[in-house]
């Protein structure tokens, strides 16, 4: 059986492709760098991260991008021995206008190197590339309408792509206006038999989300909507384990079985808040006698938490160790940094071997050059721990462990300098950008090494500290971790998920170094 979600934690907008006996998924990364996270499987049950496609500034410059901007909804395809990846870099959203820049990169190996980007178009997001049987290629994307009073999601447009010159050619054609569910986006095209099939996301990427199928005999349409639509949605049952189901992508296995990769969210029990963000799940689908897709599940169109696996040999991967001792030359694939590109001037595993050194830069609310290294939380029952060596000389210098959603919503156990007590530890909270001390007073710290930890148990978040790594004392009160959810952002919706982050901030401009000896990430059984 396949246990959903297959990619836990912040892994939204999946695009899935099969190449021989290998399966790959690309997911959105928004303001986190490198961009476009890639996973690999041989059996659709077991998945391993294999890296990121956009790993240099010439491919993706996120400095100044808004929270939940950046890389939206990549599409990964393969044809004639080449991987093609189209993606959007969103520079502005949420206030009427959307600045969405769509690009194409290519590689002959999923692990890269990926090419320099070719600009395709603007004016809409969620681009998807379709390779037709006659050798032609087509781009579909949603179109954005900023005009007050108009439908902001008016539909899907189509244009031919010259893959040799990596540019759009011919006229842009409007091919689909949606089924009436609103927010038509996330298009993917397929061809089967006499029909072209258009799979779209509708309803918006929250609890009204859905996946809808339409078909036409010509690629430019007209497209008729499946009379049994939607193919997939959670909207009718708030008790389902997998909520927000939508934004799907199809794959056919080597054994002729069909699956739908889609995003979902797992709210906290009894609440409508998703700390882990939007995740990736798989559903088994089948073709009906009338030529439409149907969900092969107990209660369609509801997503199932457990799904029949394909007839493929099991291919598990070795689990990563719980502790990272930072004894390699490069960060592992579980880490990303916030907006900036890793550079030895501010992040180093070589300057002090066996430690991750971060040199403090801009504040935790900066949209530009923060020194932050994070990894996704993938369970609402987990423990994260690190050990820090840091000698601040000013209250404007701080370093420590953060549990964060974005630059507005976070909890930060920070070692800093206080004029009265000197080197000291405090717990800082930020809700919608408003800062609050969560400890009564700074706690003096004499030990050169400070162990920091947080434990997440559902919505309860507890920070603690230790000077010997054995006995930990609580730091601050029990916190409400639901602040770090998609639903608690200032816009009422966010697109990322909770991260554990190692941080260094130096507002003096001295770039003071903070050394982290290790990072532990351990998932825990739920407390009864």
């Amino acid at each position: 059986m396949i246990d959903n979600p297959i990619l836990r934690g912040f892994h939204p907008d999946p695009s899935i492709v099969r190449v021989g006996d290998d399966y790959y998924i690309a997911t959105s990364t928004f303001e986190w760098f490198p961009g476009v996270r890639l996973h690999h499987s041989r059996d659709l049950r077991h998945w391993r991260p294999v890296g990121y496609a956009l790993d240099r500034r010439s491919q993706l410059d996120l400095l100044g991008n808004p929270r939940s901007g950046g890389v939206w909804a990549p599409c990964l395809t393969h044809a004639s021995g080449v991987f093609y990846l189209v993606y959007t870099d969103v520079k502005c959203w949420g206030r009427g206008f959307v600045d969405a820049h769509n690009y194409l990169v290519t590689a002959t190996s999923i692990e890269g190197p990926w090419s320099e980007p070719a600009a395709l178009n603007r004016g809409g997001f969620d681009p998807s590339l379709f390779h037709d049987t006659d050798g032609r290629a087509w781009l579909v994307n949603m179109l954005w309408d900023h005009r007050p009073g108009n439908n902001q999601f008016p539909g899907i447009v189509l244009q031919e792509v010259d893959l040799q010159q990596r540019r759009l050619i011919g006229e842009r054609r409007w091919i689909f206006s949606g089924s009436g569910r609103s927010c038509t986006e996330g298009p993917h095209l397929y061809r089967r038999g006499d029909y072209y099939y258009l799979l779209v996301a509708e309803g918006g990427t929250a609890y009204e989300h859905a996946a809808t199928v339409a078909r036409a005999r010509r690629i430019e349409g007209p497209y008729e909507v499946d009379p049994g639509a939607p193919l997939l949605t959670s909207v009718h049952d708030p008790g389902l384990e997998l909520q927000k189901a939508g934004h799907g992508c199809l794959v056919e296995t080597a054994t002729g079985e069909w699956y739908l990769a889609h995003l979902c969210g797992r709210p906290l029990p009894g609440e409508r808040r998703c700390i882990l963000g939007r995740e990736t799940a798989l559903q088994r689908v089948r073709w009906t006698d009338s030529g439409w897709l149907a969900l092969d599940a107990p209660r369609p169109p509801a997503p199932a938490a457990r799904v029949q696996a394909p007839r493929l040999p099991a291919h598990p991967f070795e689990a990563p160790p719980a502790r990272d001792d930072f004894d390699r030359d490069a960060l592992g694939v579980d880490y990303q940094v916030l907006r900036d590109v890793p550079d030895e001037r501010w992040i180093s595993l070589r300057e002090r071997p066996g430690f991750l050194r971060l040199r403090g830069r801009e504040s935790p609310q900066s949209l530009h050059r923060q020194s932050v290294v994070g990894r996704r939380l993938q369970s609402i029952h987990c423990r994260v721990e690190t050990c820090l060596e840091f000698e601040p000389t000013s209250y404007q210098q701080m370093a420590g462990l953060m549990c964060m959603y974005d630059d507005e919503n976070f909890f930060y156990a920070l070692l800093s300098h206080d004029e009265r007590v000197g080197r000291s530890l405090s717990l800082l909270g930020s809700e919608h950008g408003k800062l609050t001390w969560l400890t009564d007073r700074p706690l003096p710290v004499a030990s050169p090494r400070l162990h920091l930890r947080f434990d997440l148990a559902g919505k309860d978040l507890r920070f603690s500290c230790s000077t010997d790594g054995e006995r930990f004392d609580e730091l601050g009160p029990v916190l409400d971790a639901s602040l770090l959810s998609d639903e608690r952002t200032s816009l009422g919706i966010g697109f990322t998920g909770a991260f554990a982050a190692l941080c260094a901030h130096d507002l003096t401009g001295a770039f003071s170094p903070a050394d982290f000896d290790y990072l532990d990430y351990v998932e825990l059984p739920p407390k009864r």
Side-chain angles (χ1 to χ4, degrees):
M1 298 294 286
I2 295 172
D3 292 315
N4 281 318
I6 55 166
L7 304 182
R8 297 176 299 119
F10 161 47
H11 293 101
D13 310 324
S15 173
I16 189 168
V17 65
R18 177 173 69 89
V19 182
D21 294 326
D22 296 289
Y23 301 83
Y24 302 100
I25 287 179
T27 50
S28 300
T29 44
F30 295 89
E31 67 261 43
W32 290 91
F33 189 94
V36 183
R37 188 159 163 86
L38 301 169
H39 280 81
H40 167 241
S41 176
R42 300 272 292 184
D43 59 9
L44 296 186
R45 293 174 54 206
H46 305 94
W47 294 84
R48 64 180 179 114
V50 292
Y52 302 86
L54 311 176
D55 59 5
R56 52 192 188 271
R57 195 183 303 278
S58 59
Q59 295 170 316
L60 182 65
D61 188 349
L62 295 172
L63 291 180
N65 276 38
R67 62 193 65 91
S68 288
V71 176
W72 288 15
C75 173
L76 179 66
T77 59
H78 186 270
S80 303
V82 177
F83 287 97
Y84 296 87
L85 181 72
V86 290
Y87 62 96
T88 305
D89 179 7
V90 174
K91 299 299 186 184
C92 170
W93 76 279
R95 294 177 294 172
F97 286 99
V98 170
D99 290 302
H101 303 206
N102 296 319
Y103 298 97
L104 165 68
V105 292
T106 60
T108 54
S109 167
I110 194 68
E111 297 177 352
W114 291 82
S115 71
E116 290 299 296
L120 295 176
N121 65 14
R122 302 185 186 183
F125 46 85
D126 294 359
S128 177
L129 191 62
F130 168 64
H131 305 269
D132 207 344
T133 55
D134 60 3
R136 299 170 76 183
W138 301 85
L139 187 80
V140 285
N141 62 266
M142 68 80 65
L143 197 64
W144 181 262
D145 191 338
H146 64 271
R147 294 171 293 181
N150 283 18
N151 178 7
Q152 293 180 322
F153 292 78
I156 306 302
V157 293
L158 169 81
Q159 193 168 357
E160 190 170 359
V161 185
D162 184 326
L163 293 180
Q164 294 298 318
Q165 299 187 38
R166 302 202 307 165
R167 66 181 183 88
L168 296 173
I169 57 176
E171 64 175 306
R172 186 178 72 182
R173 305 176 187 182
W174 196 306
I175 63 168
F176 189 60
S177 297
S179 71
R181 299 185 72 91
S182 82
C183 299
T184 302
E185 57 184 338
H188 293 295
L189 270 174
Y190 307 91
R191 188 170 185 176
R192 186 175 187 269
D194 296 330
Y195 287 98
Y196 291 92
Y197 289 85
L198 179 64
L199 174 63
V200 298
E202 294 193 295
T205 187
Y207 294 95
E208 306 292 320
H209 211 194
T212 301
V213 177
R215 71 183 183 187
R217 293 188 180 275
R218 300 173 60 196
I219 194 169
E220 65 270 22
Y223 282 84
E224 60 170 326
V225 177
D226 179 357
L231 172 65
L232 174 75
T233 188
S234 311
V235 67
H236 58 283
D237 188 350
L240 288 171
E241 180 179 344
L242 305 182
Q243 292 292 317
K244 304 184 179 182
H247 200 118
C249 185
L250 292 167
V251 68
E252 183 182 11
T253 69
T255 52
E257 300 163 275
W258 286 80
Y259 286 83
L260 176 76
H262 67 93
L263 73 76
C264 64
R266 292 180 294 164
L268 289 166
E271 302 199 29
R272 303 276 275 182
R273 295 173 179 173
C274 296
I275 295 175
L276 303 180
R278 298 167 303 153
E279 306 171 285
T280 289
L282 275 178
Q283 303 298 324
R284 190 180 179 96
V285 293
R286 58 181 175 82
W287 293 96
T288 67
D289 292 341
S290 56
W292 291 105
L293 272 174
L295 205 64
D296 192 2
R299 297 171 55 203
R306 301 198 78 212
V307 174
Q308 181 65 47
R311 300 184 301 273
L312 296 172
H315 194 97
F317 298 104
E318 183 179 353
R323 171 163 291 192
D324 186 345
D325 284 310
F326 298 127
D327 53 4
R328 293 173 294 180
D329 289 337
L331 288 173
V333 294
D334 285 328
Y335 297 105
Q336 287 180 279
V337 301
L338 194 56
R339 291 186 177 87
D340 206 357
V341 178
D343 184 304
E344 282 285 327
R345 291 172 294 182
W346 68 270
I347 177 172
S348 179
L349 290 165
R350 300 184 182 93
E351 197 167 325
R352 186 182 177 189
F355 288 78
L356 172 66
R357 171 163 287 183
L358 297 179
R359 292 191 174 273
R361 297 187 298 165
E362 294 176 1
S363 79
Q365 295 180 338
S366 172
L367 301 183
H368 293 81
R369 294 175 175 85
Q370 286 198 53
S371 297
V372 172
V373 176
R375 64 147 296 154
R376 291 156 177 74
L377 300 187
Q378 296 179 276
S379 170
I380 59 171
H381 300 278
C382 64
R383 169 175 290 171
V384 177
E385 182 183 318
T386 190
C387 181
L388 169 65
E389 297 182 20
F390 180 54
E391 297 295 334
T393 58
S394 165
Y395 71 91
Q396 292 182 316
Q397 297 171 336
M398 63 203 87
L401 176 64
M402 187 181 286
C403 191
M404 65 179 295
Y405 186 88
D406 57 21
D407 54 272
E408 281 195 328
N409 291 346
F410 59 80
F411 300 109
Y412 188 4
L414 60 91
L415 185 62
S416 186
H417 177 87
D418 181 81
E419 295 93 336
R420 295 163 295 174
V421 300
R423 187 168 174 266
S424 53
L425 177 65
S426 302
L427 184 59
L428 180 67
S430 175
E431 182 173 358
H432 298 165
K434 181 181 179 180
L435 300 178
T436 305
W437 287 121
L438 301 171
T439 40
D440 294 333
R441 62 186 64 85
L443 176 68
V445 178
S447 171
R449 290 171 61 84
L450 179 65
H451 299 259
L452 298 172
R453 172 190 288 178
F454 70 71
D455 289 87
L456 179 63
K459 67 180 293 183
D460 293 338
L461 180 66
R462 293 173 171 86
F463 279 83
S464 56
C465 59
S466 172
T467 56
D468 61 9
E470 298 293 333
R471 187 177 68 87
F472 280 78
D473 298 314
E474 290 188 358
L475 179 66
V478 178
L479 304 169
D480 180 5
S482 71
L483 172 68
L484 312 176
S485 64
D486 295 342
E487 295 77 14
R488 292 286 295 273
T489 67
S490 58
L491 290 174
I493 186 170
F495 301 144
T496 56
F499 273 68
L502 306 179
C503 313
H505 301 92
D506 189 342
L507 311 187
T508 71
F511 302 98
S512 53
D515 293 334
F516 297 88
D517 193 4
Y518 61 85
L519 181 71
D520 285 348
Y521 174 81
V522 180
E523 295 184 3
L524 305 172
K527 293 183 178 180
R528 296 186 181 275

